[in-house]
Amino acid sequence: MACMKNNSYDCLLIVDFGSQVTQLIARRLRELNVYCEIHPYQNVNQNLLKRLSPKAIILSGGPDSVTRDGSPRANNNVYNMGVPVLGICYGQQVMMHQLGGEVKSGTGTSEFGKAFVEKKNSSDLLEGWFDIEKEQVWMSHGDHVSKIAPGFEVFGTSPNAPYAIIGDEKRHFYAVQFHPEVHHTPKGEAIGDQLTCVFVDHGLLRQGEANEVISMFRDNYNIPLIHADESDLFLNELDGQSDPETKRKIIGRLFVDVFQKYANKIEDAEFLAQGTLYPDVIESVSFKGGPSVTIKSHHNVGGLPEKMGLKLLEPLRELFKDEVRTLGKELKLPKEFISRHPFPGPGLAIRCPGKITRDKLEILRQADAVYIDQIRKHGLYDEIWQAFAAILPVRTVGVMGDGRTYDYACTLRAVTSVDGMTADYYPFNHEFLGETATRIINEVEGINRVTYDITSKPPGTIEWE
Ligand code: XMP
């Protein structure tokens, strides 16, 4: 990173010891509107310290072990500048080692993943953050501090890190064993528990999807999530409707109503954040007054009522899906998250042309699950931009065993695309198509015919409605 003469604004220096997540420290600071610069530990010398004149210093984590001869150290002047210093993980160990404490290599005391830190003493560092006695954090360490340096005291411990949070309040030196910069340390970032996610379950999701969403948020991310199971409301209003735009409008309206009902229960909520993308906008309304026509009303772009009283945040509104994925990679989100095929807000409603019934939705769910299972088994999931089944509003005659069947036909769709704006059908080989059709007809009661949709976009759209 370029070095600047920093006399016009305050700067925080991050001394990088090679952690995978050093960039996240900078990101968190930027979220807090703090200007910072990352410099590799080898470059942090007296000259640089003088030039930057940092107001505070963070020592990052890193892969090495301070117990190894020749492992990285911070320039000693870092501790003599009279500014606060925070050590994170390796940064904590290096700090302890350099200031007179001890570090041991970690047989039996390593800790990876979720851990809980218990508050032992009050400290300025914990102000406004440790509201309760036990906070969830994210650990990833092999070595650990076995003796703290003179002047330090313990503010928090975890089962495998007796010195999880330590500090010398006189010198404003602090050190933590965990990684406050990562997403999994909920209060490590600015938003923290100020975010409540409202999951509007309209009963039009794929097989097992509602439970997957709930467990992803609650178990993996520990983000407060309200599961608004309103499937009856949606399905009752959709009953008998077959016009695509009417379906979309009903779903869009109910989304807002349901969201509002649950959001009202959240005290002092000020903002609504939505993941609207540019194609949603351009296909629904003319972007910034432009001349494009409405192809379909995307559920999230229909306009939120003024009376909602929430300020709308749509950080992705001017980005295409591929750009959002690049962003996701940059933020180191899990791969399954990033490479997941898109799924439209109105859900299975727009994959069920004609009248929607609960029975048809259930048949569709099963057919779709078999199809996606086939795609995964054949290792094709990541080659395809989006794949799904749709249930057609026709019944066809078939023969199974010695009997006549009169069941629904379904169609399979799979497309390649970069941004969803144009798409081509995926050229499955016939063996795959035959095997998939046989599986669907054998495994899903209610379907006796399978077709493959070979329309590109344009002239078709990706979804059937
Ligand atoms: P179409 O069918 O317009 O779809 O070619 C392009 C991409 O957008 C998804 N899609 C939607 N996504 N709300 C969404 O969030 C919607 O109303 C909606 N309609 C379509 C579709 O699945 C495809 O990925």
Side-chain angles (χ1 to χ4, degrees), residues 248 275-277 279-280 283-284 295-301 321 341-347 350-351 385-386 388 413 415 419-423 457 460-465:
R248 283 175 171 273
T276 309
L277 302 189
D280 303 344
E283 291 199 350
S284 299
I295 305 290
K296 20 180 117 167
S297 309
H298 285 236
H299 77 286
N300 44 346
V301 189
K321 187 97 181 172
H341 289 179
F343 186 65
I350 58 172
R351 295 177 180 176
W385 200 75
Q386 188 172 11
F388 57 88
R413 184 92 164 118
V415 293
D419 49 24
M421 296 300 288
T422 54
K457 173 183 179 176
T461 54
I462 295 174
E463 302 289 346
W464 269 54
E465 290 192 334

Side-chain angles (χ1 to χ4, degrees), residues 206 275-280 316-329 337-345 381 385-386 417-421 462:
R206 289 168 291 188
T276 309
L277 302 189
Y278 189 44
D280 303 344
L316 310 175
R317 191 179 163 93
E318 291 178 33
L319 298 182
F320 288 99
K321 187 97 181 172
D322 56 313
E323 295 173 306
V324 175
R325 286 191 162 135
T326 306
L327 192 66
K329 278 187 202 143
F337 223 66
I338 296 171
S339 58
R340 205 159 174 253
H341 289 179
F343 186 65
Y381 190 84
W385 200 75
Q386 188 172 11
S417 179
V418 172
D419 49 24
M421 296 300 288
I462 295 174

Side-chain angles (χ1 to χ4, degrees), residues 152-200:
F152 278 77
E153 59 182 311
V154 179
F155 299 132
T157 64
S158 78
N160 278 340
Y163 304 123
I165 308 174
I166 55 177
D168 174 343
E169 303 233 65
K170 262 203 202 117
R171 288 185 284 177
H172 299 293
F173 289 169
Y174 298 96
V176 292
Q177 180 60 79
F178 58 90
H179 288 268
E181 69 277 30
V182 300
H183 190 80
H184 292 85
T185 300
K187 294 203 181 162
E189 54 181 312
I191 293 176
D193 66 358
Q194 294 182 69
L195 171 70
T196 302
C197 295
V198 180
F199 166 34
V200 178

